[in-house]
Structures are given as structure tokens and as C-alpha cells.
Amino acid sequence: MKMYSEFTDSELVILLKNKDHAAFSEIYNRYAMLIFYKINQMIRDEEASKDLVQDLFVGFWDKPELIQENNNLSGYLYIAGRNRVLKFIQRNKLKNDHVTSLAKYASDVSLETMQDIDERELKIIVQREIDNLPAKMKVIFELSRKDNLSHAEIAKKLGLSDQTVKKQINNALKVLRAKLSIYAPLGLIILELSKRD
């Protein structure tokens, strides 16, 4: 007999629907840390992120019928995590800029749309759109996202004013949101993940 680690996601979901604890544990082991990382990147609160992940997986155990065997399990869990983040934001009235932005621009997308989008492919699409930004805007945007520099650090590095840096990043976000809107909310989440406070 195969080890649970050798089962596909679809096989694990079938077993989970029969209340197989080992199948649930395998799904949890595969995805809990990834979902925690993504949620924590959005709300920057480890304890709240742990609670949201726990809530997500408790709900998954209680209602496994909500996902079909042939659906993209990681996509389903990602959307479930995103939905809990948005509810958390609304409930706690968080003012963090990137979280507020995420809540504002994230729109509902069907699971059928999501299951066709591989996250790795989407990251390539996001990078392609970043590469298409005007040169100065791209440099500033990537220093913010990839190098995790603050507006002040970027301004100092490039000899610009803080206001110019902020305006360039905001303009880049507007362009990218427009280009990535067909992939929302996942494209927007990926875009926002590495934003520095």
C-alpha cells in the first residue's frame, strides 16, 4: 500500500471525505506552512495568522464536500485563506496600507478560474508586467518589493525625494493592478506579498 505522502491531492481529498485522519494530516503537512506564510505576509501578525490557518483547516475537516476531487487543492486553500484574511481585515479595521489595498482591490473569483492558474506561471506573468514598466518606475518598484527597501532608503539610494518614490510606486501599482485584474485576487496577492510597511 502507498504511503500517504505518495498520494495525489485528489486522492487525499477522496480519503478526507471519508473522514480519514491520516489523509487530513498529509494535506495539513503539505499546505499549512505555505498558507501560514502567505497569510502572515498579508497581515504581519503571527498569532492571528496561526489562528486563521487553524480556522481554515478546521473548516476543511468539517466540510470536505466543498472541494471536488479534481479541483486544484492548493488553489482552493489559497482562496479560503484569502477570504479569511479579508474577513479579518474587515473585523479588525486594519489600517496597514498594503492590507487595505489588498482588501480594496481583491475581487471574487470562481474556483474554476483559479484552478487553471498555476502560481508559478502567475509569478512569471507578474514579473513580465513589472518588466514592462517604464525604466525608472521599474527600478524603484523592484527596490521596494525585491530588496525590501523603504521609501526613504530608495530615495537616498537614487537621489530622489521620498514623495517621488512614493508616487512612482503608487503609479506602478495602478498599472500592475490594471494589467493583473483578470488574475485577481491571486495576482494582486502575489504583487502585495513582499510589500514593506
Side-chain angles (χ1 to χ4, degrees):
M1 184 177 166
K2 284 201 296 188
M3 302 274 291
Y4 278 86
S5 59
E6 297 172 335
F7 284 115
T8 65
D9 287 353
S10 296
E11 290 171 325
L12 290 171
V13 170
I14 292 168
L15 292 169
L16 178 64
K17 288 184 177 187
N18 293 315
K19 294 295 181 184
D20 186 316
H21 286 271
F24 174 79
S25 294
E26 179 59 30
I27 292 169
Y28 183 87
N29 290 337
R30 281 185 196 182
Y31 293 108
M33 281 306 296
L34 179 63
I35 299 298
F36 167 78
Y37 172 76
K38 290 177 178 178
I39 288 175
N40 192 49
Q41 285 292 311
M42 286 184 271
I43 64 175
R44 304 290 204 274
D45 183 330
E46 287 192 12
E47 289 308 311
S49 297
K50 286 176 187 174
D51 290 344
L52 290 173
V53 170
Q54 183 176 342
D55 179 59
L56 187 159
F57 279 95
V58 167
F60 189 57
W61 171 256
D62 289 341
K63 295 183 179 178
E65 66 276 5
L66 293 180
I67 184 166
Q68 297 175 4
E69 294 85 8
N70 59 350
N71 274 352
N72 178 336
L73 180 58
S74 62
Y76 173 86
L77 292 171
Y78 200 103
I79 291 173
R82 184 273 321 229
N83 289 342
R84 278 164 175 78
V85 166
L86 295 181
K87 286 177 186 172
F88 177 83
I89 292 167
Q90 291 165 351
R91 197 166 59 238
N92 293 279
K93 303 281 192 295
L94 296 182
K95 297 301 181 189
N96 184 302
D97 284 346
H98 84 279
V99 174
T100 303
S101 172
L102 178 64
K104 181 178 176 185
Y105 287 95
S107 60
D108 290 330
V109 170
S110 69
L111 191 56
E112 289 73 32
T113 303
M114 286 300 301
Q115 70 187 40
D116 293 332
I117 302 171
D118 179 83
E119 187 179 337
R120 198 175 308 116
E121 291 173 10
L122 190 53
K123 283 181 179 175
I124 292 169
I125 292 167
V126 169
Q127 186 56 54
R128 186 179 66 214
E129 295 302 338
I130 291 171
D131 290 341
N132 287 335
L133 292 171
K136 180 180 177 184
M137 188 182 290
K138 177 189 171 190
V139 168
I140 291 171
F141 187 79
E142 290 195 322
L143 285 172
S144 169
R145 293 310 187 275
K146 291 185 176 178
D147 294 352
N148 243 1
L149 298 183
S150 68
H151 291 177
E153 289 168 329
I154 296 169
K156 184 177 180 183
K157 185 177 179 105
L158 299 179
L160 302 169
S161 71
D162 284 13
Q163 195 58 37
T164 299
V165 170
K166 184 176 181 181
K167 185 175 180 183
Q168 288 289 318
I169 290 173
N170 286 338
N171 288 342
L173 284 169
K174 282 179 190 173
V175 171
L176 292 169
R177 284 178 187 132
K179 297 280 189 183
L180 297 169
S181 61
I182 59 169
Y183 305 106
L186 186 54
L188 298 173
I189 288 173
I190 288 173
L191 189 61
E192 296 290 346
L193 276 184
S194 60
K195 180 162 182 176
R196 185 186 173 111
D197 292 341

